[in-house]
Each structure stands twice: as structure tokens, then as C-alpha cells.
Amino acid sequence: MPIEKDTLPENPAESNTEDKNVPVQRIVSGIQPSGRLHLGNYMGALKNWIALQDRYESFFFIADWHALTTNYEDTSPIRQNIREMLVDWLSLGLDPEKCTIFLQSDVLEHAELNLLLSMVTPVSWLERNPSYKDQQTQITGRDLSTFGFLGYPVLMSADILLYRADHVPVGLDQLPHLELAREIARRLRHFYGPVVPEPLPLLTPTPRLLGLDGRKMSKSYKNCIYVGDSSAEIWDKVRPMVTDPARVRRSDPGDPDKCPVFNLHQSFSPPETVQEVDKGCRTAGIGCIDCKKLLVGHIETILQPAREKRQEISARKGFLKDVLQEGGKTASGEARQTIREVRRAMRLPDEDLFA
Ligand code: ADP
Ligand code: TRP
């Protein structure tokens, strides 16, 4: 699959200001409200969304139906998770004046397109999806042999194709899903002619941030720093992090390539700091605690302004509701248009049935 590695690919509408007929490109992405936003989500997706909202026609949504594919028994946290996710997004800089922010379940056309796509999607495509198999083995204690879980990427394809998106900014783990969305778009074209474009992924320079334990940072591994964590909580998580196991004493030189703290430095610290700790570690010139303090300082540079904005947002009564209501209206307008086009292409009944 062709991948855009560039954080900010050139937008034809901007590069060619002479030609006003070149349409602004469109992006769409979502995150499941299955917990709070962590730094992996931020570095892999949200940071890109915030940068891209200035240059693309952008649709960002909270994928609450997707959260049900794995959390269908105990649904009690979902409402709180939606509210927190929205606050996290807005406090980090997603701006409802620049992009459309909405809740997936507010736009019922996601369900209609999901149903129509499910008619043309072979089950074998879903069974061979690597994250279907991975998650079934990784998530224990829950029965994931459900129709909804198998169909996760069909719903995700519907989310994307519904907005006729050109690009989808996501982290590395979402690429197999996106490949399926492209295959489904091609299949629609094969059966019914051109209906929706084939979307391309858009990756950030950090498409896979590692967590406190050196594995991929993920809610399910409990190895996350959350964007809503306080300074004290972050220090309590970073201080005990295991560094290069061979570096036992302060005077032992270490190997930064074996250290998850160094890995985080590479994503959060400026190049001078990365160089300084790399050299300091190899020569035992810096101790692990000082190295960790430097890291936390750079993480704080991102999170402190977000903390202040969080207070501000929480004080604005009715703001969150308005954001989702307005976003839902804009998204619904676009979604309805696609559904009309899909129904027409598929020769399904529409308002002209008896005309
Ligand atoms: P989690 O694995 O914690 O459940 P999600 O699957 O909800 O995270 O991911 C939401 C978005 O964040 C997706 O675009 C995903 O690719 C991205 N993402 C998740 N974890 C990471 C990570 N460790 N590094 C980079 N991007 C990530
Ligand atoms: N699967 C994504 C995740 O785990 C969430 C998602 C649902 C999504 N629909 C999408 C991402 C459409 C991009 C486009 O976070």
C-alpha cells in the first residue's frame, strides 16, 4: 500500500494557488473511547491531526461503536470516556473552528454504510486481518468470537469511505485496517462503478511509540503515560522505569539503544538533549535519574499548556455539548450525501423510486 511518510504532505490546493479548482484534500480519523488518551495516541495520531487541521478539510470523531466491539459486557465507562477524550483532544489543540469534531453514533449513516459494505466483504478478508488474530490472543477473559469484533474493520472502512477521505492520519497498527478499506473501495468500484476514493494512510515520524516497559505504548498493556496525568503521576511512572539492565551502578557505562527511557527521549526531547544523554549514558557521564528528569521536563513542556487549557474548557458550560452537536450536523450533511451516492450507484431505492 502506498504510504505517506511525510507528516504534512503537500496539499495541492495550497501549492497551486493559481488554480482555485483544485479541491482541498480531506482527512478523517477516529479514536475509540476505551480509556484515556496516552502519549502513544498523541504522538501517533493526535499531534498530526492538530497540525493537519490547518491545511485539510478535517473530520475527527470519537469511535464509540468501535469501543463496543471489545467492551460490550460492561459498557458503564463509555459515557465518561467520551467526555474525557473530548476534553483531551480540545486541551491539546484540536480546534472546532478549524475541523469537524463529532461522535460516531451521532451519525447513523455510519451504520447504514457498514451494513452495505458488509454485503460485499468476504469473511476471509476479515479472518486474515492480523489484528483480528493478535487481539484474540492478547485480550483474555472476554469472548471475542463475535460478529461485531470480526466486522471491526468493515465499520472502520465505513467511517472512512463515508467522508470520501483522501488521507487517514493514524498510527502504524492501523495500516492493515486501512488496507482493507482500500480493498473494499476497489470492490465497490468493481461492482458499481466509481463511488468513493481509495484513502491513503498518513503516518507521523513516531508511528509506534514505546511504553514504560519497552513494548508498544497501549492501554491494554498498562504501560502508558496519559495526557491527563499530573506531574507527580508522570514522575512516579518514569522514576522506576527499567533502563539498560547491564548498567547496574552509576559508574557503569550504558547502552541507550537498550533503554526505553532513551527511546522516549528520541520522541520528546530536542536533538541536543538526545545527543547529550546518548553520550552521557555511554560514558557514564549522566546517571539514570538525571536522564529521567530531563525526559520528564520535555514531556511537561507539552502537557503543561494542555493542563491549563483543560481547566479553561471545563469551566465553559455547555461547550463540549455544542462542539459535538455542531460537528455532528456538519458530518451528517456529508454522510447523507455519500449515502445518496452509494444508494444510487448500487441502484437501491431512493426518493425517486416512484418518480
Ligand atoms: P491503544 O492501543 O492504546 O488501545 P488505540 O488503538 O485506541 O490505542 O489507538 C488510537 C490511535 O492512536 C490510532 O491511530 C493508533 O494507531 C494510535 N496509537 C496507539 N498506540 C500508539 C503508539 N504506541 N504509538 C503510536 N501511535 C499509537
Ligand atoms: N481503529 C481506530 C483505533 O483503534 C479507531 C477508528 C475507528 C478509526 N474508525 C476509524 C481510525 C476510522 C481512523 C479512521 O483507534
Side-chain angles (χ1 to χ4, degrees):
M1 160 169 51
I3 294 175
E4 301 268 4
K5 276 269 178 196
D6 198 354
T7 316
L8 292 170
E10 205 160 276
N11 191 334
E14 277 188 4
S15 56
N16 189 354
T17 43
E18 297 297 298
D19 186 355
K20 297 282 180 239
N21 294 326
V22 179
V24 175
Q25 294 213 328
R26 188 178 278 186
I27 56 176
V28 65
S29 195
I31 299 184
Q32 308 182 52
S34 46
R36 290 148 61 210
L37 200 76
H38 56 69
L39 289 178
N41 303 139
Y42 175 69
M43 294 305 277
L46 209 81
K47 190 175 172 201
N48 219 9
W49 299 3
I50 294 161
L52 296 167
Q53 64 181 343
D54 287 317
R55 317 176 54 173
Y56 285 79
E57 191 184 359
S58 309
F59 291 82
F60 300 122
F61 64 95
I62 299 177
D64 55 335
W65 280 336
H66 272 105
L68 295 177
T69 59
T70 43
N71 298 304
Y72 58 86
E73 276 181 77
D74 180 10
T75 52
S76 57
I78 198 156
R79 294 164 66 100
Q80 174 75 4
N81 285 347
I82 291 170
R83 289 190 292 261
E84 279 178 6
M85 178 126 309
L86 186 59
V87 173
D88 282 341
W89 287 7
L90 297 170
S91 69
L92 286 162
L94 217 58
D95 181 350
E97 301 287 326
K98 296 179 178 172
C99 62
T100 300
I101 301 173
F102 65 102
L103 183 64
Q104 184 186 34
S105 64
D106 277 343
V107 183
L108 297 180
E109 284 78 5
H110 287 249
E112 179 169 346
L113 191 58
N114 174 52
L115 178 129
L116 295 176
L117 300 185
S118 76
M119 301 300 167
V120 301
T121 307
V123 173
S124 59
W125 288 9
L126 303 175
E127 284 170 336
R128 72 165 192 233
N129 182 319
S131 45
Y132 176 64
K133 293 180 211 145
D134 285 357
Q135 291 220 39
Q136 282 213 325
T137 43
Q138 272 167 26
I139 304 181
T140 49
R142 264 178 260 171
D143 180 3
L144 290 183
S145 51
T146 56
F147 186 45
F149 185 65
L150 179 67
Y152 183 107
V154 182
L155 180 57
M156 180 160 159
S157 302
D159 299 337
I160 298 166
L161 303 182
L162 196 54
Y163 298 95
R164 292 161 264 126
D166 301 292
H167 290 98
V168 185
V170 279
L172 204 59
D173 55 352
Q174 298 297 313
L175 293 189
H177 294 142
L178 218 51
E179 183 58 49
L180 195 96
R182 290 166 56 81
E183 280 175 305
I184 293 180
R186 285 199 288 275
R187 199 155 160 94
L188 287 182
R189 192 173 59 231
H190 174 71
F191 290 137
Y192 316 117
V195 196
V196 281
E198 266 181 59
L200 279 171
L202 210 53
L203 296 179
T204 67
T206 314
R208 189 172 182 272
L209 185 79
L210 302 185
L212 298 166
D213 56 0
R215 293 187 293 169
K216 179 199 139 183
M217 188 176 284
S218 173
K219 277 165 271 194
S220 18
Y221 297 150
K222 302 196 171 24
N223 61 356
C224 299
I225 297 175
Y226 292 98
V227 300
D229 279 348
S230 67
S231 308
E233 282 169 320
I234 295 177
W235 182 240
D236 284 347
K237 288 178 178 180
V238 172
R239 190 179 33 81
M241 273 177 76
V242 176
T243 53
D244 172 7
R247 191 172 185 199
V248 183
R249 284 176 298 266
R250 166 70 176 78
S251 54
D252 295 336
D255 180 354
D257 297 327
K258 294 196 178 123
C259 177
V261 178
F262 183 67
N263 190 279
L264 290 175
H265 268 297
Q266 288 175 308
S267 299
F268 292 100
S269 304
E272 317 80 80
T273 310
V274 176
Q275 241 175 11
E276 179 193 331
V277 296
D278 181 272
K279 182 155 175 256
C281 179
R282 290 180 200 281
T283 56
I286 184 173
C288 292
I289 285 291
D290 287 332
C291 176
K292 288 171 175 173
K293 280 186 185 155
L294 281 175
L295 170 67
V296 168
H298 291 297
I299 294 177
E300 287 287 318
T301 314
I302 298 171
L303 297 188
Q304 187 49 35
R307 285 186 197 120
E308 285 158 23
K309 196 131 178 241
R310 183 182 299 271
Q311 303 285 336
E312 203 185 294
I313 290 166
S314 310
R316 287 176 68 179
K317 217 172 165 293
F319 178 55
L320 299 178
K321 187 175 168 205
D322 290 348
V323 168
L324 289 189
Q325 222 162 37
E326 281 305 305
K329 271 190 224 154
T330 309
S332 291
E334 289 298 328
R336 273 199 296 271
Q337 190 184 325
T338 307
I339 288 291
R340 259 197 308 274
E341 287 166 17
V342 171
R343 285 194 194 183
R344 193 170 307 135
M346 292 179 75
R347 297 164 193 270
L348 298 174
D350 58 15
E351 63 274 11
D352 294 335
L353 181 62
F354 293 107

